Amino acid sequence: MNPVKAPLDTVDRIMLAHGGGGELTGQLIQQHLLSQLNNERLAPLTDGAVLPWRAGELVFTTDSYVVTPLEFPGGDIGRIAVAGTVNDLSVMGATPVALSLGLIIEEGLPVDVLDRIVASIAATAREANVEIVTGDTKVIERRSGDGLFVNTAGVGCLPPTVHVGLEHVEPCDVVLVNGCIADHGLTIMSVRHGIEFDSDLRSDAAPLNGLIEQLLTGGVRVKFIRDATRGGLAGVLADISEHRQLSIEIIEAQIPVSPTARHAAEMLGLDPLTVANEGKIVCVVAQDHATSALEAMRRHPLGRKAAVIGRVTDTQPPLVELNTRAGGRRIVQRPYGEELPRIC
Amino acid sequence: MNPVKAPLDTVDRIMLAHGGGGELTGQLIQQHLLSQLNNERLAPLTDGAVLPWRAGELVFTTDSYVVTPLEFPGGDIGRIAVAGTVNDLSVMGATPVALSLGLIIEEGLPVDVLDRIVASIAATAREANVEIVTGDTKVIERRSGDGLFVNTAGVGCLPPTVHVGLEHVEPCDVVLVNGCIADHGLTIMSVRHGIEFDSDLRSDAAPLNGLIEQLLTGGVRVKFIRDATRGGLAGVLADISEHRQLSIEIIEAQIPVSPTARHAAEMLGLDPLTVANEGKIVCVVAQDHATSALEAMRRHPLGRKAAVIGRVTDTQPPLVELNTRAGGRRIVQRPYGEELPRIC
């Protein structure tokens, strides 16, 4: 790229012209993206990044993010985009290696918002120890004037010793989560409704590769892991039950939900079990590994409040059943449609 | 996933609820995506796809597509998304292996439009001999009611024998293109303006991995390849000139432009050199390889009209200069901003 001719700093909002693939696109990329994300693979701005690779299995994943608002307590669209793709690789048992970043920016987006989000992308990538190695930027016409859609894809290395997957789940296995559920979705919905709860209600968005690596290398026989994002805890448990044609029994009193989240869920009329998380995994282990799994999780800062929440059974028909605090039982269903639009 | 309960076929437009991560999202994915894209890696719908990989170098790339209209003569957003990412891998010298697919669908998109575009994605992937191995679907609120944004990322294998890159370009090298330029951008602009030209004005969108493989394995010492998308031929030539601090002299009479495209460009007031292509590469080879490169290109159906269009010189200052048909000379500049918004 040429030395910059007309600094983007002289404009305070993104213009359609920034997406045209010309001089202005180059300035946007140099001044607002590379300045924060710079690394030796991204810097050449070629059509793709070249990565050395060992023989073995590669895991490849992608997610688009359309969350609104773009920034919220505990995170922003950039943090969940990086964390989400890192987590998708990690729950497959892979070590995240590199991410791509596709930005679709709405004309009118304030440049300082973009800068904060790119800074958050860079910071979250450092936290997860991955690099953004390739990317793309497009600009679309003004709509609300504050829109940004983010796509991240990721590649990771699957160690030959790791074997996690739904097919390993059996009756008597134990189900764990790494901490309090529902914080992300409830934070977003609270901000949208302009409801102020205690200041401790924050999105849990976080890259969990460190926690998962600790679990997988700590001698625990982990059978299955999945991050409980859209569809919440209920969605993941429904997946396990349906795929394996087994039942799952969970104990309400053992499911970590913060008092603030519980209060927010009541106010908003939402079931914490179906609310999205961005930093929570559901983990299935053999019964005799439950204690060591719990201890491995709790040793990590993102697993301090980990808990055993239930177990897999062969009760038929296959259902997810909740033993309530009140001593009752209710069937937990996968949410049907869009209970919480644009939550991630 | 469970057997389908309420067929999506009973609705004819996408609803926000299709993006919620619940039952309806599952139906959308099963009935409208997997039905056409099905392959053994995508089918398990896990968080990512597992691919066997040989040791060596991996190329990783991404692009988002925001083209409007979604369908146009010669292609649609799905075709350019697959072709674009295949081409980005190929111009790096890599053999495309697998793609990811991220869809952001606007509420209100007719289901039959989605079906046609997914069919086009599947067909273009087959044409390029790659698989869509992982994906993600989100739904955003209604805007114009016919919106769809597509992100594709791709991974490819770099053969150890291939060494293409800007750093190899030297004075006296020869510049080629594989056929008529400007068709894609002019088609889109004509449709948008409701201008009817001859029916032979069609987007050139096509996966070029076959052509490029033929070139790279045909004994030609290829120094640099890039697809001339946003920014057109002028953008690629500016990149070469700026990065290498060399000049490029091109001959207008040798640059293939169809009579229809020339007419359309005149009517629309556009310079074919800066108009986007979706199936054209710029290729730089050593002078004594020019003929064999041209022959290798012309042997492929997507290179029948390939031409040598100019050469690299050490004239200073570094500029891209056009020798016009009229016998004059003019400097070719990288387009500054958004001449053609949402062209890809």
Side-chain angles (χ1 to χ4, degrees):
Chain A
M1 297 281 157
N2 251 352
V4 171
K5 284 169 190 164
L8 189 62
D9 307 332
T10 57
V11 298
D12 62 359
R13 286 181 184 267
I14 297 297
M15 303 180 294
L16 262 186
H18 287 119
E23 194 84 19
L24 275 177
T25 303
Q27 287 179 26
L28 173 66
I29 291 171
Q30 287 290 344
Q31 294 175 34
H32 295 268
L33 296 171
L34 282 191
S35 58
Q36 304 202 70
L37 299 174
N38 214 354
N39 61 64
E40 65 181 86
R41 299 191 203 287
L42 184 61
L45 288 183
T46 47
D47 290 280
V50 179
L51 308 169
W53 209 270
R54 290 198 310 274
E57 286 182 313
L58 171 141
V59 178
F60 184 29
T61 189
T62 192
D63 262 313
S64 296
Y65 295 86
V66 299
V67 66
T68 175
L70 296 175
E71 301 177 289
F72 42 81
D76 55 53
I77 192 170
R79 182 165 176 83
I80 68 172
V82 172
T85 291
V86 163
N87 294 346
D88 279 345
L89 293 171
S90 302
V91 299
M92 298 280 296
T95 305
V97 172
L99 303 188
S100 67
L101 176 67
L103 300 178
I104 299 176
I105 308 175
E106 200 182 309
E107 180 190 21
L109 181 76
V111 171
D112 60 350
V113 173
L114 180 67
D115 284 343
R116 285 199 301 272
I117 290 170
V118 175
S120 169
I121 288 170
T124 311
R126 279 192 299 273
E127 186 180 334
N129 196 30
V130 293
E131 281 181 342
I132 310 289
V133 298
T134 188
D136 176 62
T137 306
K138 294 288 189 314
V139 181
I140 58 172
E141 298 89 344
R142 178 184 292 265
R143 181 180 182 176
S144 59
D146 62 355
L148 173 66
F149 304 128
V150 179
N151 177 283
T152 41
V155 288
C157 241
L158 192 63
T161 50
V162 171
H163 303 282
V164 291
L166 275 179
E167 67 275 19
H168 303 293
V169 175
E170 292 167 308
C172 296
D173 286 349
V174 168
V175 181
L176 299 93
V177 295
N178 64 309
C180 292
I181 63 164
D183 289 348
H184 174 73
L186 292 170
T187 301
I188 299 294
M189 295 311 283
S190 302
V191 172
R192 281 197 215 154
H193 285 86
I195 306 173
E196 293 287 326
F197 296 103
D198 293 354
S199 61
D200 63 348
L201 185 60
R202 302 166 66 79
S203 168
D204 61 342
L208 298 173
N209 50 328
L211 170 79
I212 293 171
E213 194 189 337
Q214 197 158 301
L215 201 54
L216 292 175
T217 59
V220 182
R221 171 69 187 97
V222 178
K223 296 187 162 194
F224 174 73
I225 316 177
R226 183 163 293 170
D227 48 338
T229 55
R230 271 189 302 183
L233 179 59
V236 177
L237 297 178
D239 278 347
I240 301 173
S241 170
E242 284 170 18
H243 275 89
R244 296 294 295 146
Q245 292 292 299
L246 293 169
S247 288
I248 299 171
E249 195 179 291
I250 52 173
I251 318 290
E252 190 174 29
Q254 290 175 213
I255 301 171
V257 183
S258 77
T260 312
R262 193 180 308 280
H263 177 58
E266 277 164 18
M267 291 276 293
L268 292 161
L270 295 169
D271 177 358
L273 295 181
T274 63
V275 172
N277 309 276
E278 290 293 338
K280 291 298 165 312
I281 47 167
V282 175
C283 181
V284 180
V285 301
Q287 197 172 9
D288 55 351
H289 281 229
T291 309
S292 57
L294 191 63
E295 283 168 1
M297 278 190 179
R298 286 187 173 166
R299 275 196 300 274
H300 193 277
L302 296 170
R304 294 261 180 272
K305 295 189 177 167
V308 169
I309 61 163
R311 65 193 183 93
V312 180
T313 74
D314 52 11
T315 309
Q316 294 299 321
L319 287 173
V320 179
E321 205 168 33
L322 178 76
N323 294 324
T324 67
R325 282 172 191 278
R329 296 169 85 84
R330 79 168 165 94
I331 290 169
V332 177
Q333 287 190 300
R334 181 197 297 284
Y336 183 72
E338 183 61 284
E339 313 219 339
L340 301 172
R342 298 188 63 180
I343 208 74
C344 64
Chain B
M1 296 280 160
N2 253 351
V4 170
K5 285 170 190 161
L8 190 61
D9 306 329
T10 57
V11 298
D12 62 357
R13 286 181 183 268
I14 298 296
M15 304 179 294
L16 262 185
H18 287 120
E23 193 84 20
L24 275 177
T25 304
Q27 287 179 24
L28 173 66
I29 291 171
Q30 288 290 345
Q31 294 174 34
H32 295 268
L33 298 170
L34 282 192
S35 58
Q36 304 201 69
L37 299 174
N38 213 356
N39 62 63
E40 66 181 86
R41 300 193 202 285
L42 184 62
L45 291 183
T46 47
D47 289 280
V50 179
L51 307 170
W53 209 270
R54 291 196 309 273
E57 285 181 313
L58 172 140
V59 178
F60 183 29
T61 188
T62 192
D63 262 314
S64 296
Y65 295 85
V66 300
V67 66
T68 176
L70 296 176
E71 301 177 288
F72 42 80
D76 55 53
I77 192 171
R79 182 166 176 83
I80 66 173
V82 172
T85 291
V86 163
N87 293 347
D88 279 347
L89 293 170
S90 302
V91 299
M92 299 283 294
T95 306
V97 172
L99 303 188
S100 67
L101 176 69
L103 300 178
I104 299 176
I105 308 174
E106 200 183 309
E107 179 190 21
L109 181 73
V111 171
D112 60 350
V113 173
L114 179 67
D115 284 343
R116 285 199 301 271
I117 290 169
V118 175
S120 170
I121 288 170
T124 312
R126 278 192 300 272
E127 186 179 336
N129 196 28
V130 293
E131 281 181 342
I132 311 289
V133 297
T134 187
D136 176 61
T137 306
K138 294 288 190 313
V139 181
I140 58 172
E141 296 88 345
R142 179 183 290 264
R143 183 181 180 178
S144 59
D146 62 354
L148 173 66
F149 305 129
V150 179
N151 177 283
T152 40
V155 289
C157 240
L158 193 63
T161 51
V162 171
H163 304 281
V164 292
L166 275 177
E167 67 276 18
H168 303 294
V169 176
E170 290 167 309
C172 297
D173 286 349
V174 168
V175 181
L176 299 95
V177 295
N178 62 310
C180 292
I181 63 164
D183 289 347
H184 174 72
L186 292 170
T187 301
I188 299 292
M189 295 311 281
S190 302
V191 173
R192 282 197 215 154
H193 285 85
I195 305 173
E196 293 287 327
F197 296 103
D198 293 353
S199 61
D200 64 347
L201 185 59
R202 302 166 65 80
S203 168
D204 62 341
L208 298 173
N209 51 326
L211 171 79
I212 293 171
E213 194 188 337
Q214 197 157 302
L215 201 55
L216 291 175
T217 59
V220 182
R221 172 71 187 95
V222 178
K223 296 186 162 194
F224 174 72
I225 316 176
R226 184 164 293 171
D227 48 338
T229 55
R230 271 189 302 183
L233 179 59
V236 177
L237 298 177
D239 278 348
I240 301 172
S241 170
E242 285 171 16
H243 275 90
R244 298 292 297 144
Q245 292 292 296
L246 293 169
S247 287
I248 298 171
E249 197 179 291
I250 53 174
I251 318 291
E252 189 174 28
Q254 292 177 208
I255 300 171
V257 183
S258 76
T260 312
R262 194 180 308 280
H263 176 58
E266 277 163 19
M267 292 275 293
L268 292 162
L270 296 168
D271 178 359
L273 295 181
T274 63
V275 173
N277 308 278
E278 290 294 337
K280 291 299 163 315
I281 48 169
V282 175
C283 179
V284 180
V285 302
Q287 197 172 8
D288 56 351
H289 281 229
T291 309
S292 57
L294 191 62
E295 283 168 1
M297 276 188 180
R298 287 187 174 167
R299 274 197 300 273
H300 194 278
L302 296 170
R304 293 258 181 273
K305 296 189 177 170
V308 169
I309 61 164
R311 64 192 183 95
V312 180
T313 75
D314 53 8
T315 309
Q316 295 297 319
L319 287 172
V320 179
E321 206 168 33
L322 178 76
N323 293 323
T324 68
R325 283 172 189 276
R329 296 169 82 85
R330 78 168 165 94
I331 290 169
V332 177
Q333 287 190 298
R334 182 198 296 284
Y336 182 71
E338 182 61 284
E339 313 218 337
L340 300 173
R342 299 190 59 181
I343 207 74
C344 64

